[in-house]
């Protein structure tokens, strides 16, 4: 087993490097990426479905959006990489977790493409995609991972070929909480609600006290969300001095402090020094800054990525899928379905010791 | 290694002015026990006695107002709930002195020299032993039989953790950070605990780290269930190999350790725990 693994990583000169194409579509972005076995990223293109002001993205419209763009994006990615489908070794797609209809749209695109060009398929866990992409891009070897996105809030640490979840939200995800708040205060969804909260927060200065709920390594956001919604009602009635910007500021300060604290708890609990932040919320610069300060006090390092890799993309699915392909093999065609529920700790991480 | 460690400690102390003062008072005796999540735990000297000092230094990343509020609140919660837990008959370190301005608590040292260690460390030893035992047996080409020693110890740890949680909960306390790092354990002196000792009395326990603790609401089932959920996941993530066994012993003991007049309550909390777990499983909906 050990030797097999080695030779899989070190190709002989005659053998060309394996190349994977990955398709991601678990939420409101559809992305296609192409990655080579040495970790070089040959293409990474994506389109985002932006719902109108005041609403979130619905499964049906999002799925239609993905179906519309899948073929164009695959073509564009191949062009950018200067490759033809015949040069690929494997097609990877997001198996879950995510929203059913958008997931299925991307999976159908992947299956069709794979059948058309007689390529093997690999179904990838979305969260694992984020983690492996983060490790590839930043070079972080064995960090505690904070995974924060629209649908997920997890603190993860690796051991024994498994990414174990140490802490998570016990109600809604952090991105979901931010998005819902943005809707209440009528911030635009373009490019994303989180980005607009971040910009507005820069102009806020007064701190509004909001519920800060940490339980062990878990966090909870519903109390905070209803509390800040009450503040918005007051603001609209003109019965408070706090502005929308102040609320954005206080919201970020409180929520991110909770996230950094539970990350630190996990670090203390498992004796790690480094942190990797992944997921869409991870491109928030204030969160990155706070994380930097925390690890500095502990003598460790914080690894963050920018929006190309933090936000859902095809390359992360290609890369995680390629790792699995090289160490475990392809997913049997019969099993190339997708699922809304697929926990990070269910994946056997065959490519790590 | 040791010297660079000490140097960076020195640097980091710059953020906790009172710590410097302590260092001069205590001379060179101060020794870092743990850099916990929020605070640092050091062994130092107070009135000629070796004690633990746990202090929370300001977190640079946190908004100053929020940070001050949290530190003050957690210090007072920790002191109050440690006392309250003692009143329930749960062993906790004795508190000798509280310096509220420096966010510091001086308390009894549960000394490693007297066998004390976090449950987490003990379980890590068990996991190692179990592995060693297995490979030994394989080497000797024996069938994997009843490695009863380690196994019954694991059961007892689970059982005792379960009853500790039940006593705490029945007394209205939510620990808030129930993990295997926050319960200390030591094996009872085998020479004194011989013969007459019944099974389940091989270890003694003490609870620490009440910074996130609070008195629960009158209803409180949800809060208790979440407290158990935190413990359950701490065990699953940190002691994967023993998790199933520990969990079973723990839940059984939890249900049966509630006082007789409240016996229904324990079972109700466990049912609620089911709901909390379900929510956990359903949560991964959107990537
Ligand atoms: N009284 C004590 N005697 C011996 N060891 C102790 C004592 N108190 C704490 N420790 C050791 O220090 C570690 C950290 O202590 P504690 O859990 O109180 O701090 P923490 O985890 O930083 O707190 P918090 O979770 O509030 O941030 C413990 O896991 C234990 O190993
Ligand atoms: Mg602790």
């Amino acid at each position: 087993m050990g030797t097999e693994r080695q030779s899989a990583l070190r190709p002989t000169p005659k053998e060309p490097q394996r190349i994977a194409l990955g398709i991601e579509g678990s939420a409101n972005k559809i992305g296609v990426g192409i990655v080579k076995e040495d970790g070089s990223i040959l293409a990474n293109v994506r389109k985002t479905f932006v719902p109108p002001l005041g609403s979130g993205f619905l499964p049906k419209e999002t799925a239609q959006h993905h179906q519309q763009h899948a073929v164009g994006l695959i073509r564009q990615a191949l062009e950018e990489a200067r490759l033809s489908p015949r040069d690929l070794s494997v097609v990877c797609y997001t198996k879950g977790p995510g929203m059913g209809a958008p997931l299925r749209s991307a999976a159908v695109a992947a299956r069709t493409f794979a059948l058309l060009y007689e390529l093997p398929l690999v179904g990838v866990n979305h969260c694992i995609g984020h983690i492996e992409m983060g490790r590839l891009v930043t070079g972080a070897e064995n960090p505690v991972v904070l995974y924060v996105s629209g649908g997920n809030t997890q603190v993860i640490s690796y051991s024994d070929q498994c990414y174990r979840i140490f802490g998570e939200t016990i109600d809604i995800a952090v991105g979901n909480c931010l998005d819902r708040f943005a809707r209440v205060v009528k911030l635009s969804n373009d490019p994303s609600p989180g980005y607009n909260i971040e910009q507005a927060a820069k102009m806020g200065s007064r701190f509004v006290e909001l519920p800060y709920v940490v339980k062990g390594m878990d966090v909870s956001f519903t109390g905070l969300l209803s509390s800040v919604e009450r503040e918005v009602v007051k603001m609209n009635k003109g019965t408070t001095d706090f502005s929308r910007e102040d609320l954005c500021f206080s919201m970020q300060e409180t929520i991110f402090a909770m996230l950094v604290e539970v990350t630190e708890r996990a670090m203390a609990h498992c004796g790690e020094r480094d942190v990797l932040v992944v997921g869409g919320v991870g491109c928030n610069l204030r969160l990155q800054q706070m994380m930097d300060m925390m690890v500095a006090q502990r003598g460790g390092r914080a690894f963050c990525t920018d929006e190309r890799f933090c936000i859902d993309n095809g390359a992360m699915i290609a890369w995680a899928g390629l790792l699995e392909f090289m160490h475990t093999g392809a997913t049997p065609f019969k099993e190339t379905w997708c699922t809304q529920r697929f926990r990070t700790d269910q994946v056997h991480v065959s490519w790590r010791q | 290694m040791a010297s660079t460690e000490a140097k960076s400690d020195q640097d980091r102390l710059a953020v906790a002015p009172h710590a410097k003062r302590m260092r001069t008072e205590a001379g060179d005796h101060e020794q870092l026990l743990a850099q916990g999540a929020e605070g640092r735990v050091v062994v130092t000297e107070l009135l000629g006695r070796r004690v633990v000092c746990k202090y929370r230094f300001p977190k640079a990343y946190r908004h100053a107002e929020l940070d001050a509020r949290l530190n003050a609140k957690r210090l007072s919660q920790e002191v109050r709930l440690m006392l309250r837990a003692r009143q329930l008959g749960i062993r906790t370190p004795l508190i000798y002195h509280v310096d509220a301005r420096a966010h510091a608590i001086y308390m009894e040292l549960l000394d490693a020299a007297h066998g004390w260690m976090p449950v987490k460390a003990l379980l890590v030893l068990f996991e190692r032993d179990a592995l060693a035992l297995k490979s030994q047996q394989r080497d000797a080409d024996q069938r994997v039989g009843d490695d009863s020693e380690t196994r019954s110890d694991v059961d007892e740890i689970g059982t005792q953790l379960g009853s500790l949680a039940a006593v705490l909960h029945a007394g209205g306390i939510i620990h808030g950070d129930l993990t295997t790092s926050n319960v200390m354990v030591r094996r009872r002196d085998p020479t004194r605990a011989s013969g007459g000792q019944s099974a389940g009395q091989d270890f003694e326990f003490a609870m620490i780290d009440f910074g996130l603790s609070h008195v629960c609401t009158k209803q409180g089932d949800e809060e208790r269930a979440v407290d158990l959920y935190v413990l359950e996941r701490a065990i699953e993530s940190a002691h994967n190999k023993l998790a199933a066994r520990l969990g079973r012993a723990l839940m059984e003991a939890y249900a049966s350790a509630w006082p007789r007049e409240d016996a229904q309550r324990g079972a109700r909390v466990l049912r609620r725990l089911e709901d909390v777990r379900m929510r956990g499983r359903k949560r991964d909906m959107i990537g």
Side-chain angles (χ1 to χ4, degrees):
Chain A
M1 181 91 193
T3 47
E4 259 175 46
R5 193 167 290 168
Q6 289 240 321
S7 63
L9 275 178
R10 238 186 294 115
T12 57
K14 275 164 279 162
E15 269 178 71
Q17 286 197 36
R18 281 158 289 191
I19 300 174
L21 178 139
I23 306 179
E24 151 64 27
S26 63
N28 68 331
K29 289 132 204 125
I30 174 142
V32 178
I34 300 178
V35 177
K36 216 156 80 172
E37 159 172 0
D38 64 4
S40 51
I41 298 155
L42 308 181
N44 198 19
V45 293
R46 107 186 123 209
K47 288 241 185 275
T48 304
F49 172 62
V50 179
L53 182 75
S55 65
F57 53 92
L58 301 170
K60 197 174 153 206
E61 295 159 10
T62 311
Q64 279 166 356
H65 168 268
H66 291 2
Q67 287 157 22
Q68 221 168 18
H69 292 292
V71 174
L73 285 171
I74 293 175
R75 194 169 284 141
Q76 190 188 341
L78 285 167
E79 264 166 31
E80 274 184 24
R82 297 173 189 281
L83 292 173
S84 90
R86 307 271 169 218
D87 300 322
L88 299 172
S89 323
V90 61
V91 177
C92 313
Y93 72 97
T94 309
K95 188 164 188 168
M99 288 166 74
L103 272 176
R104 276 193 299 278
S105 305
V108 166
R111 287 169 60 139
T112 311
F113 185 73
L115 286 177
L116 215 54
Y117 295 99
E118 291 172 40
L119 290 164
L121 274 163
V122 173
V124 175
N125 178 297
H126 180 84
C127 318
I128 301 284
H130 273 299
I131 297 172
E132 291 306 343
M133 197 65 198
R135 288 181 61 228
L136 173 68
V137 173
T138 65
E141 259 175 49
N142 189 27
V144 165
V145 181
L146 175 67
Y147 172 31
V148 276
S149 65
N152 286 287
T153 309
Q154 296 178 340
V155 185
I156 297 160
S157 173
Y158 171 84
S159 71
D160 293 330
Q161 303 203 312
C162 178
Y163 284 109
R164 294 181 205 284
I165 302 170
F166 275 68
E168 58 187 321
T169 172
I170 58 169
D171 39 57
I172 56 173
V174 55
N176 190 246
C177 177
L178 290 169
D179 293 358
R180 280 158 71 170
F181 168 73
R183 254 175 270 157
V184 176
V185 292
K186 308 239 160 47
L187 278 168
S188 156
N189 286 326
D190 190 16
S192 74
Y195 178 82
N196 291 320
I197 292 177
E198 183 176 0
Q199 303 318 311
K202 287 180 187 160
M203 289 172 292
S205 57
R206 278 171 308 174
F207 185 72
V208 188
E209 190 174 327
L210 295 170
Y212 183 100
V213 186
V214 166
K215 304 178 188 219
M217 283 174 257
D218 292 336
V219 289
S220 153
F221 296 116
T222 44
L224 182 140
L225 184 60
S226 19
S227 172
V228 76
E229 280 171 359
R230 281 194 295 277
E231 291 296 329
V232 175
V233 172
K234 281 193 226 160
M235 184 183 79
N236 291 340
K237 278 196 207 143
T239 57
T240 173
D241 292 339
F242 294 120
S243 65
R244 179 165 91 170
E245 285 70 27
D246 290 334
L247 293 184
C248 289
F249 169 69
S250 309
M251 177 102 173
Q252 278 201 62
E253 289 302 309
T254 310
I255 288 184
F256 294 163
M258 287 162 61
L259 294 175
V260 174
E261 178 174 353
V262 292
T263 307
E264 185 166 20
R265 281 175 182 279
M267 290 168 79
H269 193 65
C270 51
E272 296 292 346
R273 285 171 160 258
D274 296 341
V275 180
L276 170 66
V277 185
V278 300
V281 180
C283 54
N284 185 300
L285 295 178
R286 176 60 184 147
L287 174 61
Q288 295 188 1
Q289 182 188 39
M290 286 165 77
M291 201 57 91
D292 276 335
M293 289 171 166
M294 182 273 281
V295 294
Q297 274 184 329
R298 300 188 68 85
R301 292 171 297 173
F303 296 95
C304 305
T305 57
D306 60 37
E307 48 83 34
R308 285 171 302 167
F309 304 113
C310 246
I311 294 177
D312 296 350
N313 61 86
M316 70 186 217
I317 300 303
W319 177 238
L322 185 56
L323 289 172
E324 171 144 348
F325 179 66
M326 292 191 294
H327 293 277
T328 311
T331 309
F333 193 77
K334 270 188 303 195
E335 287 163 36
T336 54
W337 31 266
C338 44
T339 168
Q340 296 192 5
R341 283 170 211 142
F342 187 5
R343 282 179 68 83
T344 316
D345 51 14
Q346 283 176 315
V347 177
H348 172 62
V349 184
S350 57
W351 54 93
R352 288 187 68 178
Q353 291 299 309
Chain B
M1 178 76 197
S3 74
T4 56
E5 193 84 61
K7 187 147 178 292
S8 60
D9 280 347
Q10 192 72 276
D11 294 344
R12 268 176 267 145
L13 284 179
V15 292
H18 60 278
K20 262 193 195 139
R21 203 184 65 229
M22 238 167 44
R23 183 173 285 270
T24 48
E25 275 169 14
D28 288 329
H29 301 300
E30 184 183 296
Q31 163 207 343
L32 180 72
L33 259 192
Q35 161 97 42
E38 285 188 280
R40 317 188 76 221
V41 179
V42 297
V43 178
T44 183
E45 236 173 65
L46 185 76
L47 303 173
R49 194 194 271 256
R50 287 178 76 221
V51 302
V52 161
C53 174
K54 173 174 174 175
Y55 60 92
R56 299 182 156 83
F57 49 84
K59 291 285 179 188
Y61 69 79
R62 210 147 50 190
H63 188 272
E65 210 176 309
L66 175 61
D67 191 59
R69 186 182 103 210
L70 287 173
N71 279 342
K73 186 167 139 209
R74 289 176 179 179
L75 178 85
S76 81
Q77 274 175 340
E78 180 150 26
V79 174
R80 273 191 299 119
L81 286 141
M82 240 155 124
L83 293 176
R84 201 173 159 132
R86 281 186 88 79
Q87 286 162 359
L88 298 172
I90 291 171
R91 177 158 183 180
T92 68
L94 281 164
I95 295 175
Y96 298 133
H97 175 58
V98 179
D99 183 349
R101 206 173 40 94
H103 300 299
I105 305 176
Y106 293 79
M107 63 182 127
E108 177 188 4
L109 167 67
L110 301 170
D111 206 334
H114 298 152
W116 285 106
M117 61 174 104
V119 167
K120 183 180 161 190
L122 183 66
L123 291 177
V124 168
L125 290 180
F126 284 171
E127 279 178 312
R128 209 170 294 153
D129 286 356
L131 273 183
L133 209 65
K134 251 189 218 156
S135 67
Q136 245 174 32
Q137 281 172 335
R138 217 178 300 128
D139 289 350
D141 199 27
Q142 284 173 349
R143 286 167 69 217
V144 179
D146 196 5
D147 41 343
S148 50
E149 176 78 53
T150 331
R151 282 205 180 159
S152 63
D153 280 355
V154 171
D155 285 334
E156 190 192 336
I157 300 287
T159 304
Q160 297 289 339
L161 284 178
S163 10
L164 269 177
V167 173
L168 203 67
H169 284 178
I173 299 179
I174 303 300
H175 185 280
D177 191 12
L178 267 185
T179 66
T180 49
S181 314
N182 291 336
V183 182
M184 303 286 288
V185 62
R186 71 168 162 183
R187 207 179 274 275
R188 272 184 220 276
D189 190 342
T191 51
R192 275 185 294 155
S194 62
Q197 283 284 356
S198 63
Q201 295 293 314
D202 294 342
F203 297 96
E204 58 185 314
F205 294 83
M207 284 190 124
I208 60 170
D209 199 357
F210 287 80
L212 293 181
S213 307
H214 59 275
V215 175
C216 71
T217 58
K218 207 143 155 231
Q219 223 291 319
D221 285 356
E222 167 78 14
E223 290 167 276
R224 292 182 176 101
V226 169
D227 219 22
L228 287 181
Y229 184 59
V230 167
L231 175 60
E232 182 172 73
R233 297 228 333 286
I235 290 174
E236 271 167 17
S237 48
H239 313 287
N240 193 252
K241 295 190 185 75
L242 304 174
R245 199 177 177 84
L246 273 169
R248 215 178 307 124
L250 200 150
M251 296 308 160
E252 240 167 63
Y254 181 85
S256 58
W258 275 74
R260 179 120 11 98
E261 64 275 18
D262 258 345
Q264 297 304 311
R265 205 61 191 260
R268 228 164 63 206
V269 174
L270 289 180
R271 275 199 301 278
R272 189 62 175 251
L273 176 61
E274 272 298 315
D275 296 345
V276 178
R277 283 188 196 131
M278 278 302 284
R279 262 184 268 150
R281 265 179 241 125
K282 279 191 192 149
R283 202 168 304 116
D284 269 357
M285 295 282 282
I286 307 167

